[in-house]
Amino acid sequence: MATGAGAVDFPNRPKGEPLLAAIGITKDFATIRANDDINFAIHPGEIHALLGENGAGKSTLVKILYGALQPTGGEIRWKGKPVAIANPAAARALGIGMVFQHFSLFDALTVAENIALALADPPPMNQLRARIEKVSAEYGLPLNPRSVVADLSVGERQRVEIVRCLLQEPQLIIMDEPTSVLTPQEADDLFVTLNRLVAEKKSVLYISHRLEEVKQICHHATILRHGKVVGECDPQQETAARLASLMVGAELRQLQAPAPASPSAPVRLAVDHLSLPRPHAFAIALDDVCLDVRGGEIVSIAGVAGNGQDELFDAISGETRAGTPGAVRIDGAECGRRGVNTRRRLNAAFVPEERLGHGAVPRMKLSSNVVLTRHATREGLVKSGVVNFTGAREVVDRVTQLFDVRKGSPDPEASALSGGNLQKFVVGREFDRKPGVLVVCQPTWGVDAGAATTIRQALIDLARQGAAVLVISQDLDEILEISDRVAVISKGRLSPPVDARGITREGIGLLMGGAHHGEGAAHAH
Amino acid sequence: MRIELIRRPEHSRTMVVLSPIIAIALTVIAGFFVFLAIGVDPLQALYIYFIEPLTAGWSIEALFVKAVPIILVAVGLSLCYLANNWNIGAEGQFAAGAIAGSVFPILVPGWNGPEVMVAMLVMGVLGGMLYAAIPALLKIRFGANEILTSLMLVYVAQLFLDWLARGPWRNPEGHNFPDSRPFDGGQVLPVLVGSDVRISLVFAVVAVIVAWFVLRRTLTGFQISVLGQAPRAGAFAGFSQNRMILLTFLVSGGLAGLAGICEVAGPIGMLRTTVSPGYGFTGIIVAFLGRLNPIGIFFAGLLLALSYLGGEGMQIALGISDQITRVFQGMLLFFVLACDTLIYYRIRFVRTGQHPAGEAKHGRA
């Protein structure tokens, strides 16, 4: 196995003395060793991918490199010299910049003002604006320094973060999941910028779990698993499946997708001209949403986060009531004005995006969390107002078996489960009812690759047994993998669904930007 | 040296039991220094405060007399608090129950058969419920903060009671004392054991058992916990937040009202300008000291009743103001809430010096 700086020759990798080398980095938290003897090196002018599942230790390592955490052991060498990076300011002084996954911008201020706030010693505003314009032109990051951040799209906000980072003239830029909030087109623009950076011999440490884009742009990859480096490779020479199995440590199962149901199958879930005003100032109004899901098929709703997905989910589940009874129909029954439990009794099941606090009560046992969604479905869990917790524990056991939920005790509190295992539980809790209609939001969000395959296969199997499955997801790979038809939600409006077999990432991406309704796109700017 | 709180993956069942015991121990230690500061022998004072009341038959009886209203109030409050409804106004609901329950014995003094007690108890419960419905409806309709509304309504009820006892309901044959006419016959709660432990002890025990069952086994109890801990998950389960606000306020108001009428129809035997030495507020401490668990509340109620008796004992034996009771109750609540942190967090001591500022801090500088 190739670990350590330059132990094996990778012909496509930029040559030279490593810009940054980590030697034996170890970080212990109370009971967990998050990083265990990590060795790797970043060469000048390379885009270096850091790959790993959730909990593999990527964030810890990055925080150490950026000075936000101190390692328990090991050393960092910058241009060959050992350095101690005491805090983020020290990292910036060395020439290490970071672009965070979640932005830290003030909405009410302009681009230039936001950037001035981040600089240790900001120049006068006129000069700063000129520098911003210069940097943004050089790197293909079109940005008006006078724009107010609140008016910018997510992609533009990320450009502000990148420009802010570039103004500090870093030699190494750390990017944490930079494309997770971007449309495919915005991601392509970002890749152009990254290529210009490496052309100037700057280096990028690129953290992502999107293997296709890592293959596309990265020169070298270090793969972490359980806090250790398990390998390094040239991602352009590997298949995505091989990268995934390196991350997971096992070969991934391929999804089995038999033929979808015939177009004449009955419509089991219908959303009919559903419009809803925005419930609060930061929400999205739903505008005339129409959608049919037939028994036997999986329909997916793609879209960038915050375009009305949550509001649509709440309206379909019944947490928000629609204005008219006919706006939502389950197996033909009008239930637009009925609550979530009426809809569950019509054999519909719902899995929200937020696991803790919405799909499950964090400080309650799994058995209580079974009762949470199944107390009103007339399956004997509540008799004369008394809860049958023994029966609920049997459900927990069944779900555990079915979805391989890993837990420390037979019936722990929901918050004691890891994110992936809790997701398997909240999905399995609904599967155990054998629902006729399943609406699931972000089914594999934050779940490792192995569990994601399990959940996706279960969704396909459920659909092929005759259920109507609606998936709301921001993960295009997932959508393309499992869907029969795809619709895109943008600013509260839903595009007509199209056949998933004929569509490409780019096609979905254009719809995400709002291209399906011309006036919507015109309003966007 | 720096102290860090580390979140536990799961709440500690040991600490659920230990936390009130640690809190009591810390209260005793703090009390030791309080007595030292005011210049009395701390050991003697602690003996008089905590031990002596348990050494005589009559004082054990007095313990139960004081514990009953506190337990009734605290059981109701625990339901409110579990549902995340901060009813601070049990003292006012207690007074409202006392007033409503006294309507018949004061306005129809001749009706004093055994059946009048049923009517008085029903009136007392209804009075407390209606009074508690005010902050509940204000919260549901206007989103008014129930902590403020329920607390302010305490003073309204107390002043109304004061006016009644001095004015229209004053006993015409009472030599101008601000008391109502004394209740008699069926208007007085029957004695259960001894001379002063009345049937209201049965009400308290029944309330404890019913509340325990509701919380442990029923869907209503489950709704209370879910809505209290995770309102969004409660909505996903199809539970109504507003229904639960009203229900928990009505139950806690009803129990406080019951405690109120049992107090005036029992140990006091008439309506006075004040009918409670602060049972409604003490109930808050008892609810938390009892871990919002009805069984725990039963024992916590006895402990707080002891603090009242101890305060009286201090006044008699050492001439210290009975305000010492409030000091002890305040310290106890303070330590209970502080120790509760240990249920969800454990403490870690970190040596400082090697880690500069900036740990776990990132982003802009």
Side-chain angles (χ1 to χ4, degrees):
Chain A
M1 189 181 301
T3 57
V8 171
D9 197 32
F10 292 99
N12 295 332
R13 190 176 186 192
K15 303 287 179 290
E17 184 68 20
L19 177 67
L20 179 143
I23 294 155
I25 291 288
T26 298
K27 176 69 184 175
D28 291 325
F29 291 110
T31 54
I32 304 159
R33 176 156 286 193
N35 281 171
D36 188 358
D37 190 25
I38 288 185
N39 294 292
F40 81 112
I42 302 171
H43 289 191
E46 77 174 355
I47 304 179
H48 190 122
L50 194 57
L51 291 173
E53 297 189 278
N54 291 300
K58 290 173 301 191
S59 314
T60 305
L61 181 57
V62 164
K63 280 182 186 160
I64 289 172
L65 296 181
Y66 194 56
L69 284 176
Q70 298 304 313
T72 315
E75 107 183 351
I76 299 168
R77 289 191 192 156
W78 180 253
K79 297 177 182 168
K81 288 190 198 112
V83 286
I85 305 174
N87 52 50
R92 285 193 293 269
L94 280 176
I96 302 173
M98 181 148 178
V99 177
F100 290 94
Q101 185 178 1
H102 301 287
F103 307 148
S104 48
L105 299 174
F106 293 99
D107 280 358
L109 301 183
T110 67
V111 170
E113 285 165 344
N114 262 291
I115 290 175
L117 279 173
L119 297 177
D121 185 18
M125 209 39 110
N126 282 337
Q127 286 179 32
L128 182 63
R129 276 198 287 266
R131 277 184 66 194
I132 293 170
E133 273 163 1
K134 182 162 165 285
V135 167
S136 69
E138 266 171 33
Y139 293 97
L141 297 159
L143 205 57
N144 178 356
R146 292 171 193 274
S147 304
V148 175
V149 165
D151 299 333
L152 301 183
S153 73
V154 176
E156 288 169 320
R157 287 175 198 218
Q158 188 179 52
R159 280 181 217 150
V160 180
E161 294 266 350
I162 296 173
V163 168
R164 180 159 82 181
C165 182
L166 289 176
L167 278 176
Q168 292 159 350
E169 288 167 7
Q171 285 160 288
L172 171 64
I173 298 165
I174 303 172
M175 294 192 139
D176 190 3
E177 303 265 354
T179 56
S180 63
V181 291
L182 303 182
T183 65
Q185 280 76 15
E186 288 174 324
D188 286 340
D189 293 342
L190 173 69
F191 299 158
V192 172
T193 304
L194 294 185
N195 281 324
R196 289 193 196 173
L197 286 171
V198 296
E200 296 179 1
K201 289 286 166 201
K202 294 186 195 301
S203 305
V204 177
L205 182 62
Y206 190 89
I207 298 139
S208 180
H209 62 264
R210 297 190 174 181
L211 300 172
E212 287 298 338
E213 68 187 36
V214 167
K215 272 177 60 62
Q216 187 188 336
I217 63 163
C218 294
H219 305 104
H220 199 77
T222 299
I223 298 146
L224 297 186
R225 193 195 315 145
H226 302 317
K228 290 183 179 154
V229 175
V230 293
E232 56 179 312
C233 64
D234 178 348
Q236 293 168 9
Q237 303 294 314
E238 308 280 351
T239 62
R242 163 113 180 99
L243 290 175
S245 59
L246 272 172
M247 279 163 55
V248 182
E251 288 292 331
L252 281 180
R253 246 169 352 116
Q254 284 297 307
L255 288 183
Q256 309 285 321
S262 73
S264 61
V267 171
R268 301 199 69 173
L269 172 66
V271 180
D272 194 5
H273 296 288
L274 170 71
S275 294
L276 277 176
R278 55 168 102 177
H280 55 86
F282 301 105
I284 302 287
L286 295 177
D287 183 3
D288 201 32
V289 172
C290 294
L291 182 70
D292 286 345
V293 187
R294 296 176 184 280
E297 70 170 350
I298 298 181
V299 175
S300 293
I301 295 179
V304 178
N307 268 288
Q309 287 96 330
D310 295 345
E311 291 78 3
L312 181 59
F313 178 86
D314 286 354
I316 296 177
S317 74
E319 283 174 76
T320 315
R321 315 276 169 107
T324 55
V328 179
R329 290 193 302 274
I330 293 168
D331 279 331
E334 296 193 338
C335 50
R337 304 192 61 124
R338 297 308 186 91
V340 59
N341 286 321
T342 308
R343 300 181 195 199
R344 288 194 179 113
R345 281 193 288 271
L346 291 166
N347 208 17
F350 310 96
V351 181
E353 172 180 347
E354 190 68 42
R355 294 179 281 253
L356 285 175
H358 191 184
V361 183
R363 295 288 179 190
M364 281 195 176
K365 291 176 173 186
L366 292 186
S367 54
S368 298
N369 275 301
V370 164
V371 178
L372 189 73
T373 62
R374 295 173 59 164
H375 61 89
T377 47
R378 301 192 182 121
E379 45 189 328
L381 286 182
V382 176
K383 282 179 196 148
S384 327
V386 177
V387 180
N388 173 10
F389 283 107
T390 315
R393 274 189 287 274
E394 284 164 14
V395 176
V396 173
D397 291 343
R398 284 206 302 272
V399 172
T400 305
Q401 284 244 312
L402 198 64
F403 276 84
D404 185 29
V405 179
R406 313 260 173 91
K407 46 192 170 59
S409 58
D411 193 11
E413 288 175 7
S415 60
L417 265 59
S418 74
N421 280 304
L422 183 59
Q423 182 69 11
K424 286 192 275 187
F425 171 77
V426 295
V427 172
R429 174 179 67 187
E430 306 308 323
F431 268 83
D432 182 64
R433 281 178 53 209
K434 301 183 177 59
V437 171
L438 177 69
V439 183
V440 47
C441 206
Q442 301 282 42
T444 60
W445 182 72
V447 169
D448 64 49
T453 309
T454 308
I455 291 173
R456 288 173 192 165
Q457 184 66 57
L459 291 172
I460 291 173
D461 293 346
L462 183 73
R464 298 306 179 250
Q465 286 159 23
V469 177
L470 178 63
V471 175
I472 302 173
S473 176
Q474 288 156 40
D475 185 339
L476 278 187
D477 295 322
E478 168 171 276
I479 286 175
L480 292 172
E481 196 175 358
I482 62 174
S483 317
D484 299 309
R485 290 189 296 148
V486 182
V488 171
I489 191 164
S490 171
K491 296 188 170 64
R493 301 182 64 168
L494 191 71
S495 76
V498 295
D499 197 316
R501 274 165 301 188
I503 197 159
T504 59
R505 294 175 64 89
E506 287 65 37
I508 297 180
L510 285 174
L511 290 173
M512 276 185 185
H516 65 284
H517 43 81
E519 82 276 35
H523 284 309
H525 295 287
Chain B
M1 186 78 112
R2 188 180 51 184
I3 301 171
E4 277 184 0
L5 289 175
I6 312 287
R7 197 165 182 102
R8 299 175 191 269
E10 253 189 280
H11 78 245
S12 158
R13 281 167 222 291
T14 323
M15 273 302 158
V16 169
V17 179
L18 272 187
S19 137
I21 296 172
I22 297 173
I24 292 166
L26 289 172
T27 307
V28 170
I29 293 169
F32 182 92
F33 289 104
V34 168
F35 288 131
L36 206 61
I38 57 178
V40 298
D41 176 2
L43 289 178
Q44 189 204 0
L46 286 173
Y47 176 83
I48 293 170
Y49 198 93
F50 286 108
I51 311 290
E52 202 176 58
L54 301 174
T55 53
W58 67 265
S59 59
I60 289 177
E61 223 179 88
L63 193 68
F64 278 94
V65 171
K66 292 226 183 302
V68 162
I70 301 175
I71 292 169
L72 280 171
V73 167
V75 165
L77 289 181
S78 69
L79 300 183
C80 265
Y81 298 160
L82 285 170
N84 217 359
N85 292 319
W86 299 98
N87 179 6
I88 309 295
E91 184 77 3
Q93 293 140 25
F94 186 97
I99 294 168
S102 305
V103 165
F104 292 125
I106 290 173
L107 298 183
V108 198
W111 185 22
N112 63 358
E115 74 285 352
V116 70
M117 182 46 67
V118 178
M120 286 166 65
L121 293 174
V122 170
M123 287 291 288
V125 171
L126 286 178
M129 284 172 119
L130 286 176
Y131 207 62
I134 300 171
L137 293 174
L138 289 174
K139 182 178 183 183
I140 292 168
R141 179 68 185 81
F142 300 108
N145 185 322
E146 74 275 21
I147 298 177
L148 296 178
T149 52
S150 63
L151 180 61
M152 290 191 292
L153 283 167
V154 169
Y155 306 114
V156 176
Q158 285 177 336
L159 290 171
F160 182 63
L161 169 66
D162 187 85
W163 172 76
L164 277 178
R166 290 177 197 279
W169 284 8
R170 189 171 54 186
N171 185 2
E173 294 130 46
H175 312 290
N176 262 340
F177 279 106
D179 298 333
S180 76
R181 55 166 295 279
F183 301 176
D184 64 352
Q187 297 162 346
V188 179
L189 270 182
V191 169
L192 200 64
V193 285
S195 62
D196 232 10
V197 178
R198 291 164 199 270
I199 195 108
S200 49
L201 176 62
V202 177
F203 302 157
V205 171
V206 169
V208 164
I209 293 169
V210 170
W212 179 83
F213 181 78
V214 165
L215 287 174
R216 270 307 267 277
R217 300 301 309 277
T218 69
L219 188 63
T220 306
F222 183 67
Q223 291 189 25
I224 289 175
S225 314
V226 169
L227 286 168
Q229 291 181 32
R232 190 89 210 273
F236 184 58
F239 301 152
S240 159
Q241 185 81 51
N242 288 345
R243 205 178 135 258
M244 200 46 66
I245 293 172
L246 193 60
L247 182 77
T248 53
F249 264 94
L250 288 182
V251 170
S252 75
L255 285 172
L258 178 64
I261 182 60
C262 286
E263 195 65 11
V264 292
I268 301 177
M270 63 184 73
L271 203 64
R272 284 185 172 158
T273 53
T274 53
V275 291
S276 154
Y279 291 142
F281 293 121
T282 309
I284 299 171
I285 306 174
V286 168
F288 281 102
L289 187 62
R291 312 245 47 84
L292 302 181
N293 172 326
I295 310 286
I297 284 171
F298 185 82
F299 293 104
L302 289 173
L303 180 72
L304 267 287
L306 178 65
S307 80
Y308 277 112
L309 289 184
E312 288 170 12
M314 294 293 289
Q315 198 173 16
I316 295 160
L318 298 174
I320 294 171
S321 158
D322 68 351
Q323 292 297 325
I324 195 76
T325 307
R326 295 213 171 182
V327 173
F328 266 88
Q329 292 181 352
M331 287 195 297
L332 194 54
L333 182 63
F334 174 83
F335 286 122
V336 166
L337 294 178
C339 290
D340 271 7
T341 312
L342 297 173
I343 296 171
Y344 290 115
Y345 295 86
R346 58 190 180 76
I347 293 176
R348 190 174 70 168
F349 297 98
V350 187
R351 262 179 304 147
T352 41
Q354 68 188 72
H355 292 203
E359 176 103 3
K361 215 170 82 184
H362 51 71
R364 60 182 64 209

